[in-house]
Amino acid sequence: MCGILGLLLHDPSVDAAPEISEALSLLQHRGQDACGIVTCGPKGRFFQCKANGMVRDVLDEKAIAKLIGGMGVGHVRYPTAGSSDHAEAQPFYVNSPYGIVFAHNGNLIDSPSLLQYMDATAHRHINTSSDSELLLNLFADNLQKTGKFRINEDDIFTAIGGLMRQCTGAYACVAMLAGFGVIAFRDPNGIRPVGMASRKTDTGRDYLFASESIVADALGFSGWEDVKPGEAVIITRSGVSRKHVGAHATFAPDIFEFVYFARPDSVLDGISVYRSRMAMGDALAIEVDKVLKERGITVDVVIPVPDTSRVAALNLAQKLKLPYREGFIKNRYVGRTFIMPGQQMRRKNVRRKLNAMALEFSGKNVLLVDDSIVRGTTSEEIIQMAKDVGAKKVIVASCAPPIRHSNVYGIDMPSRTELVAYGRNAEEIAEAIGADLVVFQTLPDLIASVRQFNPSISTFDCSVFTGEYVTGGVNEEYLHRLESLRADNVKNKVAVNSREGQSEGSRANGLHNRVNIVASGGPVNGADDTVGLHNTWNIS
Ligand SMILES: O=P(O)(O)OC[C@H]1O[C@H](OP(=O)(O)OP(=O)(O)O)[C@H](O)[C@@H]1O
Ligand SMILES: NC(=O)CC[C@H](N)C(=O)O
Ligand SMILES: [Mg+2]
């Protein structure tokens, strides 16, 4: 689940990079592996800084000062296709036609056939294993087909319509054409979010595209509107054009955005994430009450698993008239563990991140509330921590139903066997994570919790719960291939072998590398100090 960003300032002499960087830090919860910004300055020149790392580390003051121009595109990455190589950090760039920069959230499910098309028909070289580089080149190929010396909005709509006919999967994208403007589009099912807002200035209007509305709130933009499924929106300094260019398909935003991914203070597709999580807590309270009564178990205290579950846990506690205590204190400097690469790192960081306060657990029957149980890494660790500090019974309640199916649309859950609920019922899951009892939200209750705030949405992508994939094109053969490429144990093997094979490992040096990190206080307008697109890996 990455974060994407586009910004066009009405005054081209004001640099967009500082605000893009600020915006990316607000989207950091969507991707912690890599980040980047490309801006477009005078004469349509692009300036880039991207690398593996968090926003605050990669996009420091010096780097930002060298990103010239009043429009730009940004990205925070959570790798869900290809590798974690710094060459796959986004935005991606291709010089022909016109000069295009591209940022993508989601996953394509037909990368192998698109790769074949690129090679055999479009004659475009793809230099990484990223599906986003493929998607950029598909966009470029479709723009090329217009055959125009100078392109206009209609040509761009035609090109994006062509792209949408040619690829399948989840994609919310922001692109930038050199000297022209910024563009956003969303796949025909609208699986991944992206919206837009504007801001009045003394001279005209600034425009923003972002994965989540929180960015608009924080940067003083208003009039947030979602880009619609299958829609493309083009913003130039002369205004906004939007058009539905994709096939008409079922609108199915991913329900997991509401369960876990998005910030609670965002509103996605007209639904407040915060309110939907409150409703999840209310609904789960009824289920928990029922199960506890059936089993004759009493609970002394409700404790959330920070951070995401807090909103739901508080409502659940209030509904059940039980005390709510913050029994786990989070180290605020450790990021989200679920989106960290590799099981070892995730496990280690749950321990680093959370500390159990003995006073709140000792001698009590505690009800831990989490938003979801995926691999069970978090639950397993925190249940042990709760028991270590003297909890009598540990009951776990999950705001999401059991997750038994792979995600193919941009969450890194490729392998069913890594999921703790795969092939297990609730009792077996409880045993696997060391809980005395586990209670799951039902799927109808989860859907109702979210949908009540926008009943015009009839379907959500719930594939991780149901194994039904709204785009089609996902069968057993596909899932087996995905597992063989991306399961944790496979990725570990590839990382170990990468020095010999130079295939996917983090040590391989691709084409698109981080700009020099050089102590330099010089001017940013001279050729020596500005940062173009193709930089060397040079840290001094
Ligand atoms: O069963 P698992 O595989 O452990 O995955 C589920 C857990 O991971 C996430 O927490 P994370 O720490 O990533 O983020 P948060 O701080 O926003 O809760 C999520 O909120 C669950 O707690
Ligand atoms: N989670 C995402 O949106 C990732 C985008 C893209 N598939 C990548 O892996 O870089
Ligand atoms: Mg969590």
Side-chain angles (χ1 to χ4, degrees):
M1 198 71 53
C2 304
I4 55 172
L5 207 284
L7 181 63
L8 183 143
L9 301 180
H10 186 260
D11 181 352
S13 69
V14 178
D15 286 339
E19 279 197 298
I20 298 177
S21 166
E22 182 61 29
L24 291 180
S25 73
L26 294 161
L27 294 177
Q28 187 80 81
H29 59 284
R30 300 183 67 85
Q32 301 170 163
D33 258 50
C35 61
I37 296 178
V38 178
T39 55
C40 184
K43 298 187 188 158
R45 285 270 304 272
F46 288 137
F47 302 89
Q48 164 189 294
C49 178
K50 62 175 186 173
N52 284 351
M54 303 282 272
V55 174
R56 63 168 180 258
D57 300 321
V58 174
L59 300 166
D60 57 23
E61 246 176 77
K62 279 196 195 96
I64 290 170
K66 295 179 182 196
L67 299 171
I68 301 166
M71 67 174 174
V73 168
H75 192 264
V76 285
R77 183 171 191 231
Y78 161 48
T80 54
S83 73
S84 304
D85 198 293
H86 56 83
E88 295 189 15
Q90 298 191 34
F92 275 106
Y93 160 73
V94 70
N95 69 337
S96 175
Y98 315 115
I100 314 168
V101 164
F102 197 79
H104 165 221
N105 172 206
N107 255 22
L108 297 181
I109 59 166
D110 53 355
S111 293
S113 59
L114 287 174
L115 201 54
Q116 170 68 16
Y117 171 81
M118 282 301 147
D119 193 14
T121 309
H123 308 313
R124 285 180 166 270
H125 172 67
I126 305 298
N127 202 59
T128 70
S129 46
S130 160
D131 59 338
S132 311
E133 191 191 0
L134 257 178
L135 194 53
L136 161 60
N137 277 276
L138 194 59
F139 181 40
D141 182 51
N142 275 283
L143 285 173
Q144 192 94 55
K145 283 182 194 157
T146 65
K148 293 270 187 74
F149 170 53
R150 290 277 179 259
I151 202 153
N152 63 31
E153 278 83 346
D154 281 340
D155 301 320
I156 297 171
F157 287 135
T158 304
I160 298 172
L163 170 151
M164 289 191 184
R165 279 191 296 281
Q166 276 179 289
C167 68
T168 310
Y171 50 92
C173 306
V174 175
M176 174 165 66
L177 293 192
F180 185 90
V182 284
I183 301 156
F185 56 91
R186 198 171 173 196
D187 66 71
N189 299 110
I191 298 172
R192 294 278 152 251
V194 61
M196 58 188 282
S198 68
R199 178 174 67 187
K200 204 169 164 328
T201 71
D202 292 344
T203 52
R205 262 185 191 278
D206 298 337
Y207 288 94
L208 170 84
F209 290 124
S211 297
E212 292 185 30
S213 65
I214 164 63
V215 177
D217 298 346
L219 299 186
F221 284 74
S222 58
W224 177 264
E225 257 189 280
D226 302 284
V227 173
K228 298 193 175 54
E231 186 184 37
V233 183
I234 303 167
I235 298 173
T236 66
R237 290 217 162 73
S238 15
V240 181
S241 325
R242 47 199 303 179
K243 189 173 178 183
H244 188 275
V245 294
H248 287 278
T250 313
F251 182 24
D254 184 353
I255 205 155
F256 216 66
E257 289 278 351
F258 298 93
V259 170
Y260 168 66
F261 266 101
R263 266 178 66 136
D265 42 353
S266 283
V267 177
L268 303 181
D269 294 311
I271 300 169
S272 153
V273 175
Y274 185 73
R275 290 289 169 91
S276 73
R277 287 184 189 160
M278 286 171 68
M280 287 175 212
D282 288 340
L284 184 58
I286 297 170
E287 189 64 23
V288 166
D289 195 40
K290 191 180 89 191
V291 178
L292 289 180
K293 280 186 179 136
E294 278 166 13
R295 310 278 174 122
I297 299 175
T298 54
V299 161
D300 300 310
V301 62
V302 175
I303 294 180
V305 182
D307 258 330
T308 300
S309 73
R310 284 160 118 152
V311 179
L314 181 57
N315 264 55
L316 180 145
Q318 284 170 346
K319 190 122 189 156
L320 294 181
K321 298 194 170 54
L322 286 169
Y324 172 91
R325 294 281 183 274
E326 295 277 355
F328 292 106
I329 300 301
K330 186 185 158 206
N331 178 342
R332 68 179 73 215
Y333 302 103
V334 179
R336 287 184 132 178
T337 44
F338 177 72
I339 58 174
M340 288 178 182
Q343 185 61 1
Q344 226 180 334
M345 187 188 289
R346 289 189 286 262
R347 193 176 292 284
K348 193 175 93 193
N349 277 288
V350 172
R351 287 275 174 167
R352 281 182 64 218
K353 184 163 84 166
L354 298 173
N355 181 48
M357 280 192 289
L359 206 59
E360 305 306 330
F361 288 89
S362 185
K364 294 180 186 168
N365 286 353
V366 297
L367 174 62
L368 304 184
V369 179
D370 208 347
D371 53 85
S372 56
I373 301 172
V374 185
R375 295 180 182 87
T377 323
T378 310
S379 322
E380 208 182 311
E381 294 296 324
I382 57 156
I383 290 166
Q384 190 56 51
M385 285 158 74
K387 294 205 160 156
D388 288 347
V389 293
K392 218 159 62 182
K393 268 193 174 28
V394 181
I395 296 120
V396 179
S398 162
C399 294
I403 294 170
R404 299 197 169 99
H405 301 274
S406 307
N407 186 286
V408 300
Y409 297 134
I411 306 177
D412 201 26
M413 289 156 46
S415 170
R416 288 164 286 190
T417 52
E418 284 170 21
L419 306 170
V420 71
Y422 180 68
R424 291 191 174 101
N425 62 26
E427 277 76 37
E428 290 161 337
I429 297 167
E431 199 186 322
I433 60 178
D436 293 285
L437 177 69
V438 179
V439 184
F440 287 99
Q441 184 95 270
T442 66
L443 186 57
D445 279 352
L446 172 62
I447 294 172
S449 303
V450 181
R451 187 170 179 253
Q452 62 178 299
F453 299 104
N454 186 355
S456 75
I457 300 176
S458 54
T459 314
F460 287 87
D461 169 56
C462 295
S463 50
V464 295
F465 309 117
T466 61
E468 287 158 24
Y469 297 91
V470 68
T471 55
V474 181
N475 52 25
E476 266 309 304
E477 191 192 334
Y478 177 86
L479 292 170
H480 277 303
R481 197 171 53 81
L482 185 67
E483 281 168 351
S484 72
L485 285 173
R486 290 199 60 83
D488 261 348
N489 55 353
V490 181
K491 278 187 273 182
N492 288 344
K493 222 155 91 202
V494 171
V496 169
N497 293 333
S498 65
R499 271 172 84 82
E500 297 94 68
Q502 289 294 301
S503 52
E504 310 268 0
S506 56
R507 287 167 207 268
N509 231 9
L511 273 169
H512 303 276
N513 299 314
R514 183 175 179 180
V515 60
N516 310 357
I517 308 173
V518 183
S520 139
V524 293
N525 56 352
D528 288 346
D529 264 346
T530 52
V531 291
L533 274 164
H534 301 279
N535 303 305
T536 48
W537 186 261
N538 178 2
I539 303 176
S540 57

